[in-house]
Amino acid sequence: MIAKYISVILASTIKFIGGPLAGLAFGLTWLETAACTVFGMMLSVLVVTFAGKGLQTLLQRIRKEKPKRFSKRTRLAVRVWKRFGIVGIAALTPVILTPIGGTILAVAFRVHLRQILFYMLLSGAFWAVLQTLVIYQLPHIKAFFA
């Protein structure tokens, strides 16, 4: 049973939707799946937040050329940041940015640790419950895993 929980947690650390899909595949209840999905996202958020400076330094060493300052992706990130702040980044993290990407963005905008953890937890809990309930109610997905 613990292996199932760990699998759901690991799936949601990389790609948030992986948690609910793995939970359904392993036959967990929707509540167990949602809880493991939130835990997985927050594990990823914690690791990236605390390792943020080290990761930035490592990326600078690995990169051969300086990245473009203004790309479509960076412009979109700045637009979301200016309009919605950390709340917008946290809200988009589970569905678009992935837990790692959203956290990197929050760290890059120098958001305070408490705010990152608080808003990511709220967003993760909301989206985990919503996505898990939707996935568990779709008959085509259930049939695929049966």
Side-chain angles (χ1 to χ4, degrees), residues 26-94:
F26 290 126
L28 299 177
T29 67
W30 75 267
L31 191 57
E32 291 171 322
T33 301
C36 288
T37 301
V38 172
F39 187 80
M41 177 178 160
M42 292 310 294
L43 181 66
S44 159
V45 168
L46 282 169
V47 168
V48 172
T49 301
F50 286 114
K53 290 289 184 190
L55 288 173
Q56 284 178 340
T57 305
L58 181 66
L59 280 174
Q60 288 172 352
R61 286 184 195 166
I62 293 173
R63 284 188 176 147
K64 294 180 178 151
E65 59 185 55
K66 202 171 185 179
K68 284 184 179 179
R69 179 164 242 152
F70 297 106
S71 65
K72 285 183 181 182
R73 187 182 301 168
T74 57
R75 285 189 177 119
L76 177 63
V78 170
R79 213 174 314 135
V80 169
W81 174 254
K82 282 185 175 181
R83 190 172 290 171
F84 304 108
I86 183 61
V87 176
I89 289 172
L92 294 176
T93 292

Side-chain angles (χ1 to χ4, degrees), residues 21-22 65 69 87 100 110 112 133 137:
L21 291 173
E65 59 185 55
R69 179 164 242 152
V87 176
I100 295 170
R110 291 178 171 65
H112 193 272
L133 287 176
Q137 297 303 313

Side-chain angles (χ1 to χ4, degrees), residues 16 38 91 94-95 120-133:
F16 192 79
V38 172
V95 288
M120 291 293 188
L121 179 62
L122 283 180
S123 175
F126 171 78
W127 284 109
V129 169
L130 183 68
Q131 287 182 2
T132 302
L133 287 176

